[in-house]
Amino acid sequence: MLAQQKQDITALFQAALAPILAGTDVTANVVLERPRDPSHGDVACNIAMQLAKQLKMNPRELATKLVDALLADPARQGLIDSADIAGPGFINLRVSAAAKQAVVKTVLAQGEQFGAAQAGSGKKVIIEFVSANPTGPLHVGHGRQAALGDALSSLFVSQGYDVTREFYYNDAGVQIQTLANSVQARLRGHKPGDAAWPESAYNGDYIADIAADFLLKKTVSASDGSPATASGDIDDIESIRAFAVTYLRNEQDIDLQAFGVKFDNYYLESSLYADGKVDAAVEMLNNSGKTYEEDGALWLRTEDYGDDKNRVMRKKDGTYTYFVPDVAYHIVKFQRGFNQAINVQGSDHHGTIARVRAGLQAVNLGIPQGFPDYVLHKMVTVMKGGEEVKISKRAGSYVTVRDLIEWSGGGDITKGRDAVRFFLISRKADTEFVFDVDVALKTSDENPVYYVQYAHARICRMLEQWTGSEAELANVDLSPLTAPTEATLLATLAAYPETLARAQAELGPHQIAFYLRDLAANLHSFYFAERVLVDDEALKAARIALMVATRQVLRNGLALIGVSAPNKM
């Protein structure tokens, strides 16, 4: 049902309860559910069983009173056809055909806004995803983060939240020094396999590309930050470092652009140190009384907050462990006014959750427990030609996002992007995923993104044969929509807003991919069972309206996950 219809039915129950609850201190929370068995009806409510004991009534007797009052209420006309009682007091309702058909006109009226809500109005959410170290091209794991994070961000926007998409650059630490050393080794004429090649160096071809441009004294720019001009001096390690980091940030920008992902803000780990945020966080933790020194190291009592053991904050050599700047960064997020923070990261970050949250509680700033939320994803295995692909020549040790987009599109970037984005959110984040490039290239039902896009194109082709105007559909009579496949389509369309709300609340963008596959399947079933352009003008008009509404919801859902809706395929 549509949200307004659920509200109207809830109001009917509340009106029926009013005289029964009058003079008592009993309050009612009316919850509507779908019956487990569709043959029992469209809506189920167990309010009679909930209240019977408090009201000292037989639950079935109470259910009978409620049903009688509900059916006698004039407001149920056009909404509820019938009501009956099952078992010890379940109330089952059957919604009228007109109420079920109403979704078509709602979709036609709301268009791109169908499914949108304002539950998050006034609430600020920061969603951090990808956050790759600027030490190489984006790999397929980053691609899964990008697909999940971008779709999740769009979900929150659809529910009225003020969303900031943020990319956190780990531009400080050992890995950055390793990057600079790798480029410097290339500049000195060494290459992977040589005796003088550093054991920990990055081996991909991109290191040679950076070295070549460094010698040419090129200037590179990323989407955020100042441009970097190479000095050309192979002994100038600071210039090499700055140039290499900016060079790779620009490369990642190109990958993200090809993937159709944009960020509102970039935050540099190095700024946490430069601005004194890390030192300030450590001082707050020390002042909280939750730290202690042992064996030359500074420890945080994370056990006090549910961690399995206390954690080292500052090592013997004076450097901070990984989670300390993370605590500082999330303090900054909270101080920036975000009501909710969500991190989309690989499952290898699981171990940091407890210690980061412990640090945020220990600073006594009023940060809510459970801040931030985490969406952790498992690894992606890439298959091509029936074999697992593990290495990209350009990256040297892994498959890049750009590889995957190019392979999956067969040279068509849009097609490749659609396939990669759809595939990478089509499973729950915490399940491992096998990305089969051969399936992504298929033009058949085996390819889920093709299956959904073809449903949209099929409707477009059908409507090309119609000579009417969509403006005329606003007042169409929908009563002829009585075929079983039509009823299924109507129910699926009506479920879209609720699906978005649930996917947002559960941080599960995969639910949108599931929904789109179901909607496409129901459209294809309708197509093979019924004709649209029939001689009966009333039936034809109703079916055209249903097709236009279905096309709109397919477009809305695909746009939300960043996938195109082609008119022809």
Side-chain angles (χ1 to χ4, degrees), residues 491-503:
T492 308
L493 294 177
Y496 181 67
E498 186 178 300
T499 300
L500 296 194
R502 184 174 61 252

Side-chain angles (χ1 to χ4, degrees), residues 14-201:
Q14 290 170 337
L17 283 163
I20 299 172
L21 299 181
T24 74
D25 58 359
V26 178
T27 57
N29 179 30
V30 178
V31 177
L32 305 180
E33 299 176 322
R34 294 180 186 177
R36 293 180 181 177
D37 184 347
S39 67
H40 291 170
D42 303 305
V43 183
C45 183
N46 68 348
I47 191 68
M49 297 172 66
Q50 288 182 29
L51 300 180
K53 187 174 182 179
Q54 293 174 267
L55 295 171
K56 298 179 181 179
M57 295 178 67
N58 178 285
R60 195 171 176 90
E61 177 188 351
L62 176 56
T64 301
K65 285 190 174 185
L66 291 174
V67 166
D68 289 345
L70 189 149
L71 292 178
D73 192 331
R76 68 96 175 176
Q77 296 295 330
L79 180 58
I80 302 298
D81 268 355
S82 64
D84 57 55
I85 302 164
F90 286 104
I91 298 173
N92 292 324
L93 308 178
R94 294 189 183 280
V95 177
S96 70
K100 294 176 182 178
Q101 294 156 356
V103 65
V104 171
K105 290 187 179 179
T106 301
V107 175
L108 296 181
Q110 295 181 2
E112 293 180 357
Q113 292 303 306
F114 180 69
Q118 292 302 313
S121 180
K123 297 177 182 177
K124 291 179 62 179
V125 177
I126 182 168
I127 303 180
E128 179 205 334
F129 56 103
V130 181
S131 295
N133 295 336
T135 55
L138 299 180
H139 57 61
V140 291
H142 295 133
R144 192 171 193 186
Q145 282 187 40
L148 289 167
D150 199 46
L152 192 61
S153 299
S154 296
L155 265 175
F156 270 80
V157 170
S158 79
Q159 301 305 296
Y161 290 83
D162 179 0
V163 176
T164 295
R165 293 166 164 89
E166 185 149 292
F167 192 123
Y168 177 67
Y169 275 116
N170 299 99
D171 64 335
V174 175
Q175 291 177 314
I176 300 301
Q177 187 59 46
T178 300
L179 171 66
N181 292 340
S182 302
V183 176
Q184 189 176 56
R186 277 284 191 177
L187 287 166
R188 288 175 172 162
H190 307 304
K191 61 182 183 299
D194 291 350
W197 185 252
E199 185 177 348
S200 61

Side-chain angles (χ1 to χ4, degrees), residues 111-330:
E112 293 180 357
Q113 292 303 306
F114 180 69
Q118 292 302 313
S121 180
K123 297 177 182 177
K124 291 179 62 179
V125 177
I126 182 168
I127 303 180
E128 179 205 334
F129 56 103
V130 181
S131 295
N133 295 336
T135 55
L138 299 180
H139 57 61
V140 291
H142 295 133
R144 192 171 193 186
Q145 282 187 40
L148 289 167
D150 199 46
L152 192 61
S153 299
S154 296
L155 265 175
F156 270 80
V157 170
S158 79
Q159 301 305 296
Y161 290 83
D162 179 0
V163 176
T164 295
R165 293 166 164 89
E166 185 149 292
F167 192 123
Y168 177 67
Y169 275 116
N170 299 99
D171 64 335
V174 175
Q175 291 177 314
I176 300 301
Q177 187 59 46
T178 300
L179 171 66
N181 292 340
S182 302
V183 176
Q184 189 176 56
R186 277 284 191 177
L187 287 166
R188 288 175 172 162
H190 307 304
K191 61 182 183 299
D194 291 350
W197 185 252
E199 185 177 348
S200 61
Y202 298 111
N203 298 326
D205 286 352
Y206 67 95
I207 296 295
D209 296 339
I210 297 171
D213 284 354
F214 183 84
L215 287 175
L216 293 173
K217 299 183 181 181
K218 287 189 175 181
T219 297
V220 289
S221 300
S223 58
D224 181 72
S226 302
T229 300
S231 68
D233 181 356
I234 66 173
D235 294 318
D236 187 351
I237 193 68
E238 289 305 315
S239 178
I240 292 171
R241 179 188 291 109
F243 182 80
V245 167
T246 305
Y247 184 102
L248 286 170
R249 288 184 62 190
N250 177 61
E251 286 288 295
Q252 291 178 358
D253 289 342
I254 294 170
D255 290 344
L256 291 167
Q257 184 178 8
F259 207 40
V261 174
K262 295 181 180 179
F263 287 90
D264 302 303
N265 194 49
Y266 294 85
Y267 201 100
L268 303 183
E269 180 185 2
S270 58
S271 72
L272 293 170
Y273 294 92
D275 297 342
K277 301 295 186 183
V278 174
D279 288 338
V282 173
E283 183 178 359
M284 282 188 278
L285 290 169
N286 283 331
N287 292 339
S288 73
K290 294 294 183 179
T291 64
Y292 63 95
E293 298 217 19
E294 186 177 288
D295 299 328
L298 180 66
W299 297 68
L300 179 64
R301 299 183 190 278
T302 55
E303 285 183 351
D304 292 356
Y305 301 95
D307 200 2
D308 58 348
K309 62 180 180 180
N310 293 331
R311 304 289 177 173
V312 173
M313 289 174 51
R314 188 178 61 234
K315 295 179 285 188
K316 293 179 182 179
D317 63 5
T319 60
Y320 292 118
T321 54
Y322 182 81
F323 84 95
V324 175
D326 269 7
V327 171
Y329 176 40
H330 286 89

